[in-house]
Amino acid sequence: MQILENKNVTPRPRWLDLPKAISKFFLRNRLVDTVDCKEVQEIMAKSSTTPQSSANSNIVAEWMRFPFTEDKQTLKFIKESKIMFVIRGLSGSGKSTLVRHLQSIYHDSIVCSADNYFMKDGIYCFDQEKLSSAHEHCQELAKKACIENRNVVIIDNTNVRYWEAKPYFILASNYNYINIVASPNTPWKLDAKELSQRNKHDVDLITIKRKVSSFEDFIPFYYGWFVNEQLSARLLSMGRDYFKECTELYPLFRQHLETLCPDITDGNLIKDYFPEDLKRKIVHCTSRYVGKGRAEGGKEYHQKEDVQKSYGKVFIVTLYGFIITDKTLGARIHLPQEALVLFDNPEERQRDMASSPLKSPVSPSKTSRHSPLKSPVSPRKTPKRSPLKPQVPLRKPSDANANFDECIRGISLLKTPSSQAKDDLSLKSESKDVAAITKLFPFVRPKSRGRAAHMTLGTADKIQSKQTAIDLLDICDIEKSSPAIPQDFERVKEGKSRLYDDSHCCIYLDKPYNIPVLFTGSY
């Protein structure tokens, strides 16, 4: 007797024949159509781990892959820095799995979650009327963790809209943490129907649909490479030391700056001219200002594949000098090729698009807040030391290098500037017209893309930090057209200095430093 098959009836799935706990796991993780019962039993017999933990490992490997969970260089940086992870995602999206995975990597991390407020004896007892209190409690826990300088702080909330996460961004800024915003890359993270079936808190479909429709894309104010707190303090100290040394070495330079700061209170020009930010002491190199997507091209930059893949990853950049002007104090940064593709500075782009170069290396109307002195210093001649000013005592380079090397925890110094010549410092593109300064200091590339890369260390009163890029590009224009011989430079600790005019002084390091930096955003 032939039995007719009803095509409308779905045959009994093979996974239902598995033990109940295992079948529920495969149903929950959408593996029901890809796993054979016999195959699972064989895996169970051969493996010392449970099927659930084994499957979880596969899920993490496929859906939770980020530079901050896999890249060894990034993991090392995070473990030695102060990082705040702001995790976001709807109920059932895999957010909790991501948090547990981060905890398994960063063992000293602390998790702050509003959900924990509703946990009573291991049972989740949600009360809508106490939701505000739950978030206040979570913020207090996060603040306490920051005050205690906990290495890694993980914020485990849905963070559907920006204002929900804003208190944590402010905390991170006030306590010198670097932010990483992360959410699970599960295929169903914005699938309301799937989320309603997966979430553990019995959130209904209508509520989840409403949250999905209001789930915002967090676009930062700007992207960049961020230095951790310890190394930032060292860079700020180096910059201020060079500022002090140059004002003592070049009386003309100090005289010009004093005309801009007539109300010096205690003779400390660096303190009055570059007042310290008492809160944020993390320095960074901006890759692109996106203005939360409102800046021209900002949203497109945010959505670039290279940006998304590099987010939360550590790069190694090179510090090779400092600039000191009548407006800004900055560190000059050389970007490796993998970072250069992320660098997009509008001032540099506009300068490159200009049809003709500046006739004068420095335009007083653009670069000085006040009229220049009557006798500006010629770029061809470095001013002599003033007989009234004693020579600045120099520290031994080996001591300074040792201190800096210790500060960056194992990131070694470049032995010579030519150590990367094969890769980042190839001069083929400029072989026909290499600037004289480049022959003396190979990292100084006043004609190359990326020359505006910098870290702002200080600005004069009412001067925006973006002015540092403009000042640096002005200096690059001077360097392009100026001859350079060893006699043009004065010796300073760990390098050489040159005063190009009364407003522009440069430090060129003898041994550039490799610095680990984290690519992320400022929110």
Side-chain angles (χ1 to χ4, degrees):
M1 177 179 176
Q2 185 179 10
I3 300 176
L4 297 178
E5 180 181 1
N6 186 350
K7 295 184 179 181
N8 295 324
V9 178
T10 304
R12 176 181 174 84
R14 293 173 296 175
W15 54 270
L16 285 176
D17 296 326
L18 292 171
K20 184 177 180 181
I22 301 174
S23 63
K24 285 178 67 177
F25 172 80
F26 285 114
L27 174 63
R28 186 169 65 250
N29 291 287
R30 299 182 65 133
L31 301 174
V32 297
D33 296 326
T34 60
V35 180
D36 185 89
C37 300
K38 184 177 180 181
E39 180 182 352
V40 173
Q41 292 170 352
E42 292 177 354
I43 293 174
M44 291 174 62
K46 295 180 180 179
S47 175
S48 60
T49 60
T50 64
Q52 181 167 342
S53 63
S54 176
N56 269 327
S57 299
N58 292 333
I59 292 171
V60 168
E62 182 180 357
W63 294 331
M64 306 295 174
R65 289 184 175 178
F66 302 95
F68 48 82
T69 61
E70 294 193 341
D71 182 66
K72 292 182 179 180
Q73 192 167 251
T74 302
L75 267 61
K76 182 177 185 295
F77 177 89
I78 292 176
K79 291 177 180 179
E80 297 175 351
S81 306
K82 290 164 58 176
I83 306 296
M84 180 180 288
F85 286 97
V86 176
I87 308 301
R88 56 193 308 253
L90 301 177
S91 297
S93 65
K95 178 171 59 67
S96 298
T97 304
L98 175 58
V99 170
R100 288 194 296 270
H101 187 46
L102 290 173
Q103 284 182 288
S104 70
I105 298 172
Y106 306 107
H107 304 294
D108 296 330
S109 61
I110 180 170
V111 176
C112 304
S113 174
D115 279 346
N116 292 339
Y117 186 82
F118 299 108
M119 297 298 293
K120 305 297 181 184
D121 299 325
I123 301 175
Y124 184 75
C125 305
F126 179 75
D127 186 344
Q128 179 67 36
E129 295 181 356
K130 296 181 179 180
L131 185 58
S132 177
S133 299
H135 282 287
E136 289 177 3
H137 178 68
C138 182
Q139 291 170 25
E140 286 299 320
L141 288 177
K143 183 177 181 179
K144 184 176 182 292
C146 292
I147 293 174
E148 294 174 352
N149 287 319
R150 295 294 293 266
N151 171 231
V152 175
V153 180
I154 302 174
I155 309 301
D156 178 18
N157 292 324
T158 55
N159 293 312
V160 173
R161 288 163 292 188
Y162 174 80
W163 66 264
E164 298 173 25
K166 186 176 179 179
Y168 303 104
F169 295 143
I170 295 174
L171 268 180
S173 178
N174 289 344
Y175 291 94
N176 298 314
Y177 278 76
I178 302 174
N179 277 125
I180 295 179
V181 177
S183 58
N185 287 329
T186 46
W188 61 85
K189 63 182 179 180
L190 294 177
D191 184 337
K193 185 177 180 181
E194 186 71 26
L195 291 171
S196 66
Q197 296 174 355
R198 288 176 173 272
N199 79 87
K200 297 181 296 183
H201 300 324
D202 297 324
V203 183
D204 60 87
L205 180 60
I206 296 176
T207 301
I208 289 183
K209 280 185 176 180
R210 186 173 65 249
K211 288 183 176 292
V212 168
S213 63
S214 58
F215 198 80
E216 295 179 356
D217 186 8
F218 281 13
I219 304 179
F221 289 103
Y222 57 84
Y223 281 97
W225 296 274
F226 290 74
V227 183
N228 67 21
E229 183 182 36
Q230 184 182 15
L231 187 51
S232 291
R234 177 63 178 143
L235 288 172
L236 290 166
S237 176
M238 289 181 70
R240 284 167 168 77
D241 286 346
Y242 280 125
F243 181 93
K244 181 180 179 181
E245 188 168 355
C246 286
T247 55
E248 293 177 349
L249 186 61
Y250 301 115
L252 184 63
F253 185 48
R254 180 180 180 87
Q255 180 184 349
H256 177 59
L257 297 184
E258 286 177 344
T259 62
L260 307 180
C261 302
D263 300 324
I264 298 178
T265 56
D266 58 0
N268 189 346
L269 186 60
I270 183 65
K271 179 180 177 181
D272 288 85
Y273 195 63
F274 295 102
E276 293 187 20
D277 183 354
L278 299 179
K279 292 183 179 180
R280 188 65 167 170
K281 295 182 180 178
I282 295 292
V283 301
H284 70 278
C285 174
T286 301
S287 64
R288 177 67 150 84
Y289 175 77
V290 294
K292 297 182 69 62
R294 293 187 289 267
E296 183 180 358
K299 191 172 184 179
E300 290 74 15
Y301 179 89
H302 166 73
Q303 295 172 341
K304 287 177 62 175
E305 183 179 0
D306 289 337
V307 173
Q308 294 298 317
K309 284 185 176 180
S310 300
Y311 185 85
K313 179 182 178 180
V314 163
F315 292 76
I316 301 298
V317 301
T318 303
L319 168 70
Y320 65 92
F322 294 83
I323 64 166
I324 307 168
T325 76
D326 61 355
K327 293 189 183 108
T328 61
L329 168 65
R332 301 179 77 168
I333 300 299
H334 172 79
L335 299 174
Q337 188 59 41
E338 62 174 347
L340 193 59
V341 298
L342 304 171
F343 185 74
D344 183 10
N345 182 272
E347 285 81 13
E348 180 180 304
R349 201 175 344 110
Q350 292 170 8
R351 197 72 62 106
D352 290 339
M353 291 173 62
S355 57
S356 59
L358 295 176
K359 296 181 180 180
S360 174
V362 180
S363 174
S365 61
K366 293 183 178 181
T367 60
S368 297
R369 291 177 292 155
H370 297 259
S371 299
L373 301 179
K374 293 182 179 180
S375 302
V377 180
S378 169
R380 296 176 176 271
K381 186 176 181 180
T382 303
K384 296 181 180 180
R385 297 181 189 271
S386 169
L388 300 178
K389 298 288 183 180
Q391 183 172 347
V392 179
L394 303 179
R395 290 187 302 169
K396 293 182 180 180
S398 58
D399 295 338
N401 292 348
N403 292 338
F404 198 92
D405 193 40
E406 181 182 356
C407 177
I408 60 179
R409 302 188 182 190
I411 300 297
S412 60
L413 300 173
L414 296 177
K415 293 183 179 180
T416 63
S418 61
S419 61
Q420 295 182 354
K422 294 182 180 180
D423 300 320
D424 299 329
L425 295 182
S426 175
L427 298 177
K428 290 182 179 180
S429 60
E430 296 183 5
S431 58
K432 297 180 180 179
D433 187 21
V434 177
I437 191 72
T438 306
K439 297 177 181 178
L440 294 178
F441 305 99
F443 274 95
V444 182
R445 308 288 298 281
K447 302 180 181 182
S448 297
R449 181 175 177 272
R451 64 188 183 279
H454 68 278
M455 294 178 182
T456 298
L457 305 180
T459 59
D461 186 35
K462 299 180 181 179
I463 298 296
Q464 295 182 340
S465 58
K466 67 178 182 179
Q467 180 65 38
T468 312
I470 298 173
D471 288 354
L472 178 52
L473 289 169
D474 286 340
I475 286 174
C476 287
D477 289 340
I478 298 174
E479 291 172 333
K480 282 190 294 187
S481 59
S482 299
I485 57 176
Q487 291 76 13
D488 291 328
F489 302 84
E490 296 285 350
R491 183 70 189 172
V492 294
K493 59 182 179 183
E494 304 179 53
K496 297 178 178 63
S497 68
R498 184 173 185 180
L499 183 65
Y500 286 100
D501 58 29
D502 63 320
S503 301
H504 297 82
C505 186
C506 288
I507 302 294
Y508 303 96
L509 295 177
D510 291 332
K511 291 185 178 181
Y513 295 110
N514 280 345
I515 299 176
V517 290
L518 181 69
F519 183 73
T520 182
S522 175
Y523 299 88

